[in-house]
Amino acid sequence: QRQEVRELCRMVGNCLGNHLDGTSVTLIPTGLDHTGTPFGMQVVGPRRHSDRFTIGTAAAIERVFQGMPATQRPLPDLATLRN
């Protein structure tokens, strides 16, 4: 679990730096790596407070990804999450 916590802190740190100055950032979960760890990508706005741009861009990317089996957004195994 320590490794998972360190990885989570690293990922949050990558996003937080962009967001602290008001830059809009939208995260897109894009899949799992070979160990089953989820990963994603960031859409960073061109200027401060450009939420509409980053959310719209993320939605467009997700629509493209959903159309291809290799890049479809993974769905969580809800039974596993409940335990």
Side-chain angles (χ1 to χ4, degrees):
Q1 285 183 344
R2 290 183 123 177
Q3 179 60 31
E4 291 172 2
V5 170
R6 279 196 294 267
E7 184 64 17
L8 178 61
C9 289
R10 186 186 65 75
M11 289 187 300
V12 169
N14 287 342
C15 304
L16 192 58
N18 284 329
H19 195 65
L20 285 176
D21 72 349
T23 300
S24 297
V25 179
T26 301
L27 303 174
I28 307 169
T30 55
L32 304 173
D33 70 10
H34 68 283
T35 66
T37 302
F39 65 92
M41 62 188 294
Q42 296 181 63
V43 177
V44 180
R47 61 189 175 284
R48 294 178 58 169
H49 310 296
S50 55
D51 294 342
R52 188 179 308 257
F53 170 83
T54 61
I55 293 169
T57 301
I61 291 169
E62 282 199 321
R63 282 192 297 275
V64 171
F65 282 2
Q66 285 303 108
M68 299 180 287
T71 58
Q72 286 179 344
R73 183 178 194 179
L75 297 176
D77 180 355
L78 297 179
T80 303
L81 295 174
R82 288 188 185 116
N83 293 331

